[in-house]
Amino acid sequence: MKVELLPSSIPATDAQFLVSFLVNDEVAIDAGPIGLMADLSRQERVRHVFITHEHIDHIATLPILLENVYSPGPDCVELLGTEDVLDFIHRDIFNGRVWPDFFALSTGDDRFVRGTPLTLLEPVVRAGLTVTPIPVAHCVDTLGLLVDDGKAAVAFPSDTGPTDELWKHLAAAPRLDAVFLEVSFPTMHADLAQATGHHCPATFAAEMGKLDRDVRWIVVHRKARYADEIGREIAALRLPNVELVKPGVAYEF
Ligand SMILES: [Zn+2]
Ligand SMILES: [Zn+2]
């Protein structure tokens, strides 16, 4: 399985402002910077976009992606998320003001987009990947995703603070190679992390203790302003198997 966190700064650096993972080039998890990929053929290869929640850093360029890859005909991007999230995206973004209503414009054999609601804990199979949505603990309803290709499995908890159901599910998964877990805030903003459903280094370390498996822990979602400080604090904890994500790098699992 190939996993890439798309860069979201110009020029591309390790700073992460927005969130999009590409899995095997065909499946996207969240639509932060995805519509900004200069190589349009890469955008065209993306057929399924899972949206973990409606926050703007996770949906920012969804309208641009759908615009960029549209071609007349029945084939289109499939958008997968909870019924609520699909509804928010339709009503608040594709509402005929912020952006044209691509849902209403998708009729019969000419489509911009197709929405598929996800049900918690019910896996779907897309492009050879089994994707299981698991609720996590953010300030809005948010899905963590477990992605399994039959040989490797990777967890994308998305934005979350301390949670339990996810770890129970991952403990029981047939395989698990890596977890892309967020640390949004440094210790000095631990209160803010708690209030907004995010992690600081201490709660990240506590979450690691909830999963008794030998996996790679890859830190994502460091708020750019605090990225260096979070990196130093994580390093000082000397946690095993923890690394900072490198945007733009193709990870193989
Ligand atoms: Zn969020
Ligand atoms: Zn976020």
Side-chain angles (χ1 to χ4, degrees), residues 17-19 53 55 57-58 138 158-159 182 184 198 221 223:
F17 303 120
L18 306 171
V19 181
H53 65 303
H55 280 162
D57 53 328
H58 298 253
H138 191 32
S158 189
D159 290 8
E182 71 130 285
S184 295
H198 284 296
H221 210 275
K223 289 199 182 284

mmCIF file of all heavy atoms in Angstrom, residues 17-19 53 55 57-58 138 158-159 182 184 198 221 223, ligand 2:
data_model
loop_
_atom_site.group_PDB
_atom_site.id
_atom_site.type_symbol
_atom_site.label_atom_id
_atom_site.label_comp_id
_atom_site.label_asym_id
_atom_site.label_seq_id
_atom_site.Cartn_x
_atom_site.Cartn_y
_atom_site.Cartn_z
ATOM 1 N N PHE A 17 -0.546 22.687 6.463
ATOM 2 C CA PHE A 17 -1.679 23.577 6.725
ATOM 3 C C PHE A 17 -3.017 22.874 6.487
ATOM 4 O O PHE A 17 -4.032 23.252 7.066
ATOM 5 C CB PHE A 17 -1.607 24.802 5.819
ATOM 6 C CG PHE A 17 -0.324 25.590 5.956
ATOM 7 C CD1 PHE A 17 0.514 25.772 4.862
ATOM 8 C CD2 PHE A 17 0.046 26.143 7.170
ATOM 9 C CE1 PHE A 17 1.689 26.497 4.981
ATOM 10 C CE2 PHE A 17 1.224 26.866 7.295
ATOM 11 C CZ PHE A 17 2.048 27.046 6.204
ATOM 12 N N LEU A 18 -3.013 21.926 5.577
ATOM 13 C CA LEU A 18 -4.243 21.255 5.131
ATOM 14 C C LEU A 18 -4.000 19.746 5.122
ATOM 15 O O LEU A 18 -2.852 19.303 5.150
ATOM 16 C CB LEU A 18 -4.617 21.701 3.711
ATOM 17 C CG LEU A 18 -4.751 23.203 3.454
ATOM 18 C CD1 LEU A 18 -4.910 23.470 1.955
ATOM 19 C CD2 LEU A 18 -5.932 23.777 4.215
ATOM 20 N N VAL A 19 -5.078 18.970 5.025
ATOM 21 C CA VAL A 19 -4.953 17.508 5.109
ATOM 22 C C VAL A 19 -5.522 16.820 3.872
ATOM 23 O O VAL A 19 -6.714 16.970 3.573
ATOM 24 C CB VAL A 19 -5.707 16.958 6.339
ATOM 25 C CG1 VAL A 19 -5.538 15.442 6.422
ATOM 26 C CG2 VAL A 19 -5.217 17.622 7.616
ATOM 27 N N HIS A 53 -14.372 14.686 8.210
ATOM 28 C CA HIS A 53 -15.252 15.667 8.847
ATOM 29 C C HIS A 53 -15.202 16.951 8.040
ATOM 30 O O HIS A 53 -14.410 17.074 7.111
ATOM 31 C CB HIS A 53 -14.908 15.890 10.326
ATOM 32 C CG HIS A 53 -13.562 16.511 10.604
ATOM 33 N ND1 HIS A 53 -12.375 15.951 10.168
ATOM 34 C CD2 HIS A 53 -13.205 17.641 11.285
ATOM 35 C CE1 HIS A 53 -11.365 16.704 10.575
ATOM 36 N NE2 HIS A 53 -11.838 17.743 11.248
ATOM 37 N N HIS A 55 -14.393 20.131 8.643
ATOM 38 C CA HIS A 55 -13.509 21.274 8.876
ATOM 39 C C HIS A 55 -12.751 21.654 7.607
ATOM 40 O O HIS A 55 -12.355 20.799 6.821
ATOM 41 C CB HIS A 55 -12.532 20.981 10.021
ATOM 42 C CG HIS A 55 -13.170 21.157 11.374
ATOM 43 N ND1 HIS A 55 -12.633 20.631 12.521
ATOM 44 C CD2 HIS A 55 -14.305 21.812 11.742
ATOM 45 C CE1 HIS A 55 -13.414 20.955 13.555
ATOM 46 N NE2 HIS A 55 -14.428 21.668 13.099
ATOM 47 N N ASP A 57 -9.823 22.665 6.786
ATOM 48 C CA ASP A 57 -8.504 22.132 6.407
ATOM 49 C C ASP A 57 -8.614 20.738 5.784
ATOM 50 O O ASP A 57 -7.657 20.243 5.193
ATOM 51 C CB ASP A 57 -7.506 22.140 7.593
ATOM 52 C CG ASP A 57 -8.029 21.461 8.853
ATOM 53 O OD1 ASP A 57 -9.243 21.507 9.108
ATOM 54 O OD2 ASP A 57 -7.203 20.885 9.589
ATOM 55 N N HIS A 58 -9.802 20.123 5.880
ATOM 56 C CA HIS A 58 -10.013 18.779 5.325
ATOM 57 C C HIS A 58 -10.857 18.783 4.052
ATOM 58 O O HIS A 58 -10.987 17.741 3.405
ATOM 59 C CB HIS A 58 -10.639 17.870 6.383
ATOM 60 C CG HIS A 58 -9.755 17.693 7.593
ATOM 61 N ND1 HIS A 58 -9.074 16.528 7.873
ATOM 62 C CD2 HIS A 58 -9.393 18.573 8.571
ATOM 63 C CE1 HIS A 58 -8.352 16.689 8.971
ATOM 64 N NE2 HIS A 58 -8.532 17.931 9.414
ATOM 65 N N HIS A 138 -13.411 14.279 18.338
ATOM 66 C CA HIS A 138 -13.032 15.637 17.930
ATOM 67 C C HIS A 138 -14.169 16.571 18.350
ATOM 68 O O HIS A 138 -15.144 16.121 18.949
ATOM 69 C CB HIS A 138 -12.812 15.615 16.411
ATOM 70 C CG HIS A 138 -12.169 16.824 15.834
ATOM 71 N ND1 HIS A 138 -11.241 17.591 16.500
ATOM 72 C CD2 HIS A 138 -12.298 17.400 14.603
ATOM 73 C CE1 HIS A 138 -10.848 18.583 15.713
ATOM 74 N NE2 HIS A 138 -11.473 18.493 14.561
ATOM 75 N N SER A 158 -7.516 10.754 11.825
ATOM 76 C CA SER A 158 -7.952 12.128 11.521
ATOM 77 C C SER A 158 -7.765 13.015 12.749
ATOM 78 O O SER A 158 -6.886 12.763 13.571
ATOM 79 C CB SER A 158 -9.396 12.156 11.015
ATOM 80 O OG SER A 158 -9.722 13.446 10.531
ATOM 81 N N ASP A 159 -8.609 14.038 12.877
ATOM 82 C CA ASP A 159 -8.499 14.954 14.021
ATOM 83 C C ASP A 159 -9.188 14.305 15.215
ATOM 84 O O ASP A 159 -10.372 13.968 15.157
ATOM 85 C CB ASP A 159 -9.182 16.283 13.710
ATOM 86 C CG ASP A 159 -8.442 17.098 12.668
ATOM 87 O OD1 ASP A 159 -7.483 16.585 12.073
ATOM 88 O OD2 ASP A 159 -8.839 18.257 12.438
ATOM 89 N N GLU A 182 -2.441 12.434 14.986
ATOM 90 C CA GLU A 182 -2.217 13.876 15.082
ATOM 91 C C GLU A 182 -1.605 14.309 16.422
ATOM 92 O O GLU A 182 -1.844 13.703 17.471
ATOM 93 C CB GLU A 182 -3.556 14.591 14.912
ATOM 94 C CG GLU A 182 -4.518 14.445 16.091
ATOM 95 C CD GLU A 182 -5.064 15.801 16.552
ATOM 96 O OE1 GLU A 182 -4.290 16.553 17.213
ATOM 97 O OE2 GLU A 182 -6.227 16.107 16.268
ATOM 98 N N SER A 184 -1.705 18.282 17.443
ATOM 99 C CA SER A 184 -1.970 19.631 16.925
ATOM 100 C C SER A 184 -1.273 20.716 17.731
ATOM 101 O O SER A 184 -0.882 21.741 17.184
ATOM 102 C CB SER A 184 -3.475 19.915 16.919
ATOM 103 O OG SER A 184 -4.139 19.068 16.012
ATOM 104 N N HIS A 198 -8.213 17.695 20.271
ATOM 105 C CA HIS A 198 -6.936 17.451 19.594
ATOM 106 C C HIS A 198 -5.960 16.860 20.616
ATOM 107 O O HIS A 198 -6.249 16.816 21.814
ATOM 108 C CB HIS A 198 -6.352 18.767 19.046
ATOM 109 C CG HIS A 198 -7.025 19.266 17.803
ATOM 110 N ND1 HIS A 198 -7.006 18.593 16.607
ATOM 111 C CD2 HIS A 198 -7.722 20.423 17.570
ATOM 112 C CE1 HIS A 198 -7.652 19.290 15.685
ATOM 113 N NE2 HIS A 198 -8.109 20.393 16.234
ATOM 114 N N HIS A 221 -0.468 16.615 11.423
ATOM 115 C CA HIS A 221 -1.365 17.688 11.869
ATOM 116 C C HIS A 221 -0.740 18.575 12.943
ATOM 117 O O HIS A 221 -1.436 19.115 13.804
ATOM 118 C CB HIS A 221 -2.689 17.078 12.382
ATOM 119 C CG HIS A 221 -3.901 17.955 12.205
ATOM 120 N ND1 HIS A 221 -4.251 18.919 13.107
ATOM 121 C CD2 HIS A 221 -4.836 18.020 11.242
ATOM 122 C CE1 HIS A 221 -5.368 19.528 12.721
ATOM 123 N NE2 HIS A 221 -5.736 18.999 11.575
ATOM 124 N N LYS A 223 0.202 21.913 14.084
ATOM 125 C CA LYS A 223 -0.123 23.272 13.623
ATOM 126 C C LYS A 223 1.190 23.970 13.286
ATOM 127 O O LYS A 223 2.151 23.939 14.065
ATOM 128 C CB LYS A 223 -0.926 24.029 14.671
ATOM 129 C CG LYS A 223 -2.344 23.461 14.769
ATOM 130 C CD LYS A 223 -3.319 24.393 15.427
ATOM 131 C CE LYS A 223 -4.707 23.765 15.544
ATOM 132 N NZ LYS A 223 -5.492 23.733 14.299
HETATM 133 ZN ZN ZN B 2 -7.729 19.282 10.887
#
